[in-house]
Amino acid sequence: MTERVVTAESVDEALRLVKPVVRGLGAYTLRPYEPRIKLNQNESPYDVPEPLKRRLWERLADRPWNRYPPFVAADFIAAVSEVTGWPEAGVLVGNGSNELIQALLSVVVEPGVSVVIPEPTFTLYQLVSGVSGGTAVSVALDEEMRFRVDAIIEAARTSRAAMIVLCTPNNPTGRSLTREEIERIYDSTDALIVLDQAYVEFGGYNAIPLLAGRPRLVVLRTFSKAMAMAGLRAGYLLAHPELATEIAKAKLPYNVNFVTETIAAEMLRAHDLLQPGVDSMSAERDRIIRELSALEGLTVFPSDANFVLFRVEHGEISHTTLFNRLLEEDGILVRDVSKYPMLEHCLRVSTGTPEENDAFLAGIRRILGQ
Ligand code: PMP
């Protein structure tokens, strides 16, 4: 049977129908890493406590699975409003903050519209602006990976940008903007200012208090990092209610399923339970910075997030060798970010548990011979 289906003739017939541009591409392959220690995606190393998980699963079992979830994820939105103090009418919730980034950009960006994006940053913004036909105007960070505030303002003015995207703290670099810098960018431009605060629980200025009276400001937050629920796919957006109403038009109906709605609402109300994990990650991040900084051949950048960026400038060990040896000899997976603009020879390590970080630091010392 298999023999008969997989003939050269039937394969050619099928492949003829695939777009030539696709045929010309190399396949994207991801090595099936099963690392012992996973420090590549800025997740929390601390899972949600088991008794809480079980209680939530019981609640889900009581829900009617045959019915659509509520049209508006009302309880999730109410919980966001409770913890942020921002009115429910100005809250949108999504299937991860990625979905809200897409909705937000799709109601603003079209051909001829410019979006100012400091680089390097989270690559989704470039991608989604491009898919919408807009023009991404890159503004390089400085050598120390700080935001160049004057250059951002200048680029927004000269390109008449509709939007400025500021990930603060920034990924994959880790630095953040001060309150004064955000205010200055807001006051000096007439663009929408998007503050992606996926990592703000770990450090940097929390911009929610700036929202009141600034209708061009949008704040994005996620459950995937400090909230320890990357698998849940949940995030939220805060904006002036009338702006939120417009952005909601680009969201699919029922974008938040009942599992996410139920768990996200409950976890927001119980977020104190997650605080020890967040405190541990912030302290461990500082320790990783300290200990990496003491090694020769590395340049380590400050970070307000749950990860650390470092450049490998070692006579004998390249960043690729370091990446591979950590994985092969220690089972430790970090992120190779060397293809980002400005980040040649750079790796990024997410903060794990103290034991995982010990293993990472011991591995790196051994490989660098120090
Ligand atoms: N924003 C930034 C700056 C990020 O680094 C990430 C995750 N890499 C996200 C958003 C994505 O978050 P989510 O999982 O909520 O879609």
Side-chain angles (χ1 to χ4, degrees):
M1 180 64 185
T2 315
E3 274 301 299
R4 196 150 50 79
V5 173
V6 188
T7 61
E9 189 184 37
S10 64
V11 169
D12 286 346
E13 282 297 295
L15 295 183
R16 184 175 61 78
L17 303 170
V18 176
K19 287 188 277 187
V21 65
V22 173
R23 296 296 308 280
L25 290 172
Y28 180 87
T29 54
L30 195 63
R31 261 169 72 185
Y33 294 122
E34 293 249 343
R36 190 170 63 90
I37 299 181
K38 188 172 182 306
L39 303 176
N40 66 328
Q41 281 191 291
N42 303 338
E43 298 147 311
S44 171
Y46 303 106
D47 200 353
V48 171
E50 190 70 23
L52 192 54
K53 273 188 178 175
R54 298 218 170 278
R55 188 152 56 77
L56 285 164
W57 278 122
E58 276 165 28
R59 278 188 50 192
L60 292 170
D62 292 339
R63 294 277 299 253
W65 289 26
N66 57 322
R67 301 294 177 193
Y68 279 100
F71 191 73
V72 175
D75 198 32
F76 184 3
I77 291 172
V80 170
S81 181
E82 281 162 39
V83 300
T84 61
W86 190 243
E88 290 183 21
V91 177
L92 297 183
V93 294
N95 184 34
S97 58
N98 283 350
E99 190 198 21
L100 299 167
I101 292 169
Q102 187 182 42
L104 169 62
L105 267 65
S106 70
V107 302
V108 174
V109 184
E110 60 184 350
V113 169
S114 295
V115 180
V116 169
I117 308 180
E119 294 267 11
T121 196
F122 184 39
T123 47
L124 192 69
Y125 286 98
Q126 276 267 7
L127 186 73
V128 179
S129 311
V131 169
S132 298
T135 306
V137 179
S138 297
V139 179
L141 301 177
D142 75 9
E143 301 266 288
E144 311 278 310
M145 304 299 158
R146 284 179 300 228
F147 290 94
R148 289 163 56 230
V149 172
D150 291 327
I152 291 168
I153 292 169
E154 181 61 23
R157 285 188 179 154
T158 51
S159 68
R160 299 167 168 272
M163 185 183 279
I164 305 175
V165 174
L166 303 166
C167 296
T168 177
N170 191 33
N171 175 24
T173 56
R175 300 197 86 152
S176 56
L177 289 158
T178 63
R179 176 188 177 128
E180 292 67 31
E181 288 172 324
I182 296 168
E183 286 177 332
R184 190 146 65 85
I185 295 170
Y186 188 92
D187 292 339
S188 313
T189 66
D190 52 16
L192 274 186
I193 312 294
V194 180
L195 301 174
D196 182 334
Q197 300 219 285
Y199 301 97
V200 77
E201 292 93 333
F202 304 107
Y205 174 67
N206 170 7
I208 292 175
L210 289 185
L211 279 166
R214 292 186 181 81
R216 286 183 289 109
L217 210 58
V218 179
V219 173
L220 285 157
R221 301 279 294 262
T222 181
F223 277 56
S224 303
K225 316 296 174 187
M227 294 287 290
M229 282 168 284
L232 187 67
R233 306 308 299 133
Y236 58 91
L237 176 154
L238 308 176
H240 187 284
E242 286 181 48
L243 179 60
T245 303
E246 296 305 317
I247 301 164
K249 293 177 184 172
K251 231 165 39 81
L252 293 179
Y254 308 111
N255 64 321
V256 173
N257 64 65
F258 79 85
V259 176
T260 301
E261 190 205 7
T262 307
I263 297 178
E266 182 87 7
M267 291 306 300
L268 274 175
R269 294 182 176 120
H271 73 273
D272 282 354
L273 290 174
L274 303 172
Q275 194 56 42
V278 177
D279 293 342
S280 156
M281 278 187 270
S282 303
E284 283 292 298
R285 173 219 39 225
D286 292 341
R287 176 169 78 101
I288 293 171
I289 292 176
R290 257 192 333 270
E291 297 199 18
L292 288 183
S293 301
L295 299 178
E296 272 171 43
L298 301 183
T299 304
V300 186
F301 296 94
S303 172
D304 289 322
N306 65 335
F307 54 81
V308 178
L309 176 75
F310 58 99
R311 183 175 289 127
V312 184
E313 291 161 317
H314 187 275
E316 287 144 43
I317 307 289
S318 68
H319 73 278
T320 312
T321 304
L322 183 54
F323 176 93
N324 288 333
R325 287 187 57 186
L326 279 170
L327 189 60
E328 284 154 20
E329 297 169 19
D330 301 280
I332 298 173
L333 180 61
V334 299
R335 185 70 154 250
D336 181 348
V337 291
S338 60
K339 299 284 190 295
Y340 280 74
M342 294 179 72
L343 300 190
E344 219 188 339
H345 310 305
C346 286
L347 299 176
R348 186 194 72 190
V349 61
S350 308
T351 308
T353 62
E355 297 71 31
E356 290 173 336
N357 303 330
D358 282 345
F360 162 74
L361 291 163
I364 202 166
R365 276 191 208 103
R366 189 191 70 253
I367 295 164
L368 296 182
Q370 296 175 41

Coordinates of all heavy atoms in Angstrom, one line a residue, residues 41-42 95-99 101 121-122 124-125 167-172 196-199 220-225 229-230 233-236 307 335 348, ligand 1:
Q41 N 13.8 30.6 27.0 CA 12.5 31.3 26.6 C 12.0 32.3 27.6 O 10.8 32.7 27.5 CB 11.5 30.3 26.2 CG 11.7 29.7 24.8 CD 10.5 28.9 24.4 OE1 10.2 27.9 24.9 NE2 9.7 29.4 23.4
N42 N 12.8 32.6 28.6 CA 12.4 33.6 29.6 C 11.1 33.2 30.4 O 10.3 34.0 30.8 CB 12.2 35.0 29.0 CG 13.4 35.5 28.4 OD1 14.5 35.0 28.7 ND2 13.3 36.4 27.4
N95 N -5.2 35.9 23.7 CA -4.5 34.6 23.7 C -3.0 34.8 23.7 O -2.4 34.6 22.6 CB -5.0 33.8 22.5 CG -4.5 32.4 22.4 OD1 -4.3 31.8 23.4 ND2 -4.3 32.0 21.2
G96 N -2.5 35.3 24.8 CA -1.1 35.7 24.9 C -1.1 37.2 24.4 O -2.0 37.7 23.8
S97 N -0.1 37.9 24.9 CA 0.0 39.3 24.5 C 0.3 39.4 23.0 O -0.1 40.4 22.3 CB 1.0 40.1 25.3 OG 2.2 39.6 25.2
N98 N 0.9 38.4 22.4 CA 1.1 38.4 21.0 C -0.1 38.7 20.2 O -0.1 39.4 19.2 CB 1.6 37.0 20.5 CG 3.1 36.8 20.9 OD1 3.8 37.7 21.3 ND2 3.5 35.5 20.7
E99 N -1.2 38.1 20.6 CA -2.5 38.3 19.8 C -2.9 39.8 19.9 O -3.4 40.3 18.9 CB -3.6 37.4 20.4 CG -4.8 37.4 19.5 CD -6.0 37.0 20.1 OE1 -6.1 37.0 21.4 OE2 -6.9 36.6 19.4
I101 N -0.9 42.3 20.3 CA 0.1 43.1 19.5 C -0.4 43.1 18.1 O -0.5 44.2 17.4 CB 1.5 42.5 19.6 CG1 2.1 42.6 21.0 CG2 2.4 43.1 18.5 CD1 3.4 41.8 21.3
T121 N 15.1 44.4 19.4 CA 13.9 44.2 20.3 C 13.2 42.9 19.9 O 13.6 42.2 19.0 CB 13.0 45.4 20.3 OG1 12.2 45.4 21.5 CG2 12.1 45.5 19.1
F122 N 12.0 42.7 20.5 CA 11.2 41.6 20.3 C 10.8 41.6 18.8 O 10.2 42.6 18.3 CB 10.0 41.6 21.2 CG 9.1 40.5 21.1 CD1 9.5 39.2 21.0 CD2 7.7 40.7 21.2 CE1 8.6 38.1 20.9 CE2 6.8 39.6 21.2 CZ 7.3 38.3 21.0
L124 N 8.7 40.3 16.9 CA 7.3 40.2 16.4 C 6.8 41.6 15.8 O 6.0 41.7 14.9 CB 6.3 39.7 17.5 CG 4.9 39.4 17.0 CD1 5.0 38.1 16.2 CD2 4.0 39.1 18.2
Y125 N 7.3 42.7 16.4 CA 6.8 44.0 16.0 C 7.2 44.3 14.6 O 6.4 44.8 13.8 CB 7.4 45.1 17.0 CG 6.6 45.0 18.3 CD1 7.2 44.4 19.4 CD2 5.4 45.6 18.4 CE1 6.5 44.3 20.6 CE2 4.7 45.5 19.6 CZ 5.2 44.9 20.7 OH 4.5 44.8 21.9
C167 N 9.5 48.2 24.2 CA 9.5 47.1 25.1 C 10.3 47.5 26.3 O 11.5 47.7 26.2 CB 10.0 45.9 24.5 SG 9.1 45.3 23.1
T168 N 9.7 47.7 27.4 CA 10.4 48.2 28.6 C 10.0 47.4 29.9 O 8.9 47.6 30.3 CB 10.3 49.7 28.7 OG1 10.9 50.1 29.9 CG2 8.8 50.2 28.7
P169 N 10.9 46.5 30.4 CA 12.2 46.2 29.9 C 12.2 45.6 28.5 O 11.2 44.9 28.1 CB 12.7 45.1 31.0 CG 11.8 45.4 32.2 CD 10.5 45.9 31.7
N170 N 13.3 45.8 27.8 CA 13.4 45.3 26.5 C 13.9 43.9 26.4 O 14.7 43.5 27.2 CB 14.4 46.2 25.7 CG 14.4 46.0 24.2 OD1 13.3 45.7 23.6 ND2 15.5 46.2 23.6
N171 N 13.4 43.2 25.4 CA 13.9 41.8 25.1 C 14.6 41.9 23.7 O 14.0 42.4 22.8 CB 12.7 40.8 25.1 CG 13.1 39.5 24.6 OD1 14.2 39.0 24.8 ND2 12.1 38.7 24.1
P172 N 15.8 41.3 23.5 CA 16.6 40.5 24.4 C 17.6 41.2 25.2 O 18.6 40.6 25.6 CB 17.2 39.5 23.4 CG 17.5 40.3 22.2 CD 16.3 41.3 22.2
D196 N 5.3 47.7 25.9 CA 5.2 46.3 26.1 C 6.0 46.0 27.4 O 7.2 46.1 27.4 CB 5.8 45.6 24.9 CG 5.6 44.0 25.0 OD1 5.6 43.5 26.1 OD2 5.6 43.4 24.0
Q197 N 5.2 45.7 28.4 CA 5.8 45.5 29.7 C 5.8 44.0 30.2 O 5.5 43.7 31.3 CB 5.2 46.4 30.8 CG 5.3 47.9 30.4 CD 5.6 48.8 31.6 OE1 4.7 49.0 32.3 NE2 6.8 49.2 31.7
A198 N 6.1 43.1 29.2 CA 6.1 41.7 29.5 C 7.0 41.3 30.7 O 6.7 40.3 31.3 CB 6.6 40.9 28.2
Y199 N 8.0 42.1 31.0 CA 9.0 41.7 32.0 C 8.9 42.7 33.2 O 9.8 42.6 34.1 CB 10.4 41.7 31.4 CG 10.5 40.7 30.3 CD1 10.4 41.1 29.0 CD2 10.7 39.3 30.6 CE1 10.4 40.2 27.9 CE2 10.7 38.4 29.5 CZ 10.6 38.8 28.2 OH 10.7 37.9 27.2
L220 N 0.9 46.8 27.5 CA 0.7 45.4 27.3 C 1.4 44.6 28.4 O 2.5 44.9 28.8 CB 1.3 45.0 25.9 CG 0.6 45.4 24.7 CD1 1.5 45.4 23.5 CD2 -0.6 44.4 24.4
R221 N 0.7 43.6 28.9 CA 1.2 42.7 29.9 C 0.9 41.2 29.5 O 0.0 40.9 28.8 CB 0.6 43.0 31.3 CG 0.8 44.5 31.7 CD 2.2 44.7 32.3 NE 2.3 44.0 33.5 CZ 2.2 44.5 34.8 NH1 1.9 45.8 34.9 NH2 2.3 43.7 35.9
T222 N 1.7 40.3 30.1 CA 1.6 38.9 29.7 C 1.6 38.0 31.0 O 2.1 38.4 32.0 CB 2.7 38.5 28.8 OG1 2.6 37.1 28.5 CG2 4.1 38.6 29.5
F223 N 1.0 36.8 30.8 CA 1.0 35.8 31.9 C 2.2 34.8 31.7 O 2.4 33.9 32.4 CB -0.3 35.0 31.8 CG -1.4 35.6 32.5 CD1 -1.8 36.9 32.2 CD2 -2.1 34.9 33.5 CE1 -2.9 37.5 32.8 CE2 -3.2 35.5 34.2 CZ -3.6 36.8 33.8
S224 N 3.0 35.1 30.6 CA 4.0 34.1 30.2 C 5.3 34.1 31.0 O 6.1 33.2 30.9 CB 4.3 34.2 28.7 OG 3.1 34.1 28.0
K225 N 5.6 35.2 31.7 CA 6.9 35.3 32.4 C 6.7 35.3 33.9 O 6.6 34.2 34.5 CB 7.5 36.7 32.0 CG 7.4 36.9 30.4 CD 8.2 35.9 29.6 CE 7.9 36.2 28.1 NZ 8.5 35.1 27.3
M229 N 2.8 31.3 33.5 CA 1.8 30.5 32.8 C 1.9 30.7 31.3 O 1.0 31.0 30.6 CB 0.4 30.9 33.3 CG 0.0 30.2 34.6 SD -1.4 30.9 35.3 CE -0.8 32.5 35.9
A230 N 3.1 30.4 30.8 CA 3.4 30.6 29.3 C 2.5 29.6 28.5 O 2.0 30.0 27.4 CB 4.8 30.4 29.0
R233 N -1.4 30.8 27.6 CA -1.6 31.8 26.5 C -2.6 32.9 27.0 O -3.8 32.8 26.7 CB -2.1 31.2 25.2 CG -1.2 30.0 24.7 CD 0.2 30.4 24.6 NE 0.4 31.5 23.7 CZ 1.2 32.6 24.0 NH1 1.8 32.7 25.1 NH2 1.4 33.6 23.1
A234 N -2.1 33.8 27.8 CA -2.9 34.9 28.2 C -2.1 36.2 28.3 O -0.9 36.2 28.7 CB -3.5 34.6 29.6
G235 N -2.8 37.3 28.0 CA -2.1 38.6 28.1 C -3.2 39.6 28.1 O -4.4 39.3 27.9
Y236 N -2.9 40.9 28.4 CA -3.9 41.9 28.4 C -3.3 43.3 28.0 O -2.0 43.4 28.0 CB -4.6 42.0 29.7 CG -3.8 42.3 31.0 CD1 -3.5 43.6 31.4 CD2 -3.3 41.3 31.7 CE1 -2.8 43.8 32.6 CE2 -2.6 41.5 32.9 CZ -2.3 42.8 33.3 OH -1.6 43.0 34.4
F307 N 16.2 37.8 32.5 CA 17.3 37.2 31.7 C 18.5 38.1 31.6 O 18.4 39.3 32.0 CB 16.7 36.9 30.3 CG 16.1 38.1 29.6 CD1 17.0 39.1 29.0 CD2 14.8 38.4 29.6 CE1 16.4 40.2 28.4 CE2 14.2 39.5 29.0 CZ 15.1 40.4 28.4
R335 N 19.8 30.9 24.8 CA 19.4 31.4 23.5 C 20.5 32.1 22.8 O 21.2 33.0 23.3 CB 18.2 32.4 23.8 CG 17.6 33.0 22.5 CD 16.7 31.9 21.9 NE 15.6 32.5 21.1 CZ 14.4 32.5 21.5 NH1 14.0 31.8 22.5 NH2 13.5 33.1 20.7
R348 N 21.8 34.9 25.3 CA 20.9 35.3 26.4 C 20.6 34.2 27.3 O 20.2 33.1 26.7 CB 19.6 35.9 25.7 CG 18.7 36.6 26.7 CD 17.3 36.8 26.1 NE 16.6 35.5 25.9 CZ 15.5 35.3 25.2 NH1 14.9 36.3 24.6 NH2 14.9 34.2 25.1
Ligands
PMP1 N1 6.4 40.9 24.5 C1 7.7 40.7 24.7 C2 8.6 41.9 24.8 C3 8.2 39.4 24.8 O1 9.5 39.2 25.0 C4 7.3 38.3 24.6 C5 7.8 36.9 24.7 N2 8.9 36.5 24.2 C6 6.0 38.6 24.4 C7 5.6 39.9 24.4 C8 5.0 37.4 24.1 O2 4.2 37.2 25.2 P1 3.0 36.2 25.1 O3 3.5 34.9 25.5 O4 2.0 36.8 26.1 O5 2.4 36.2 23.7

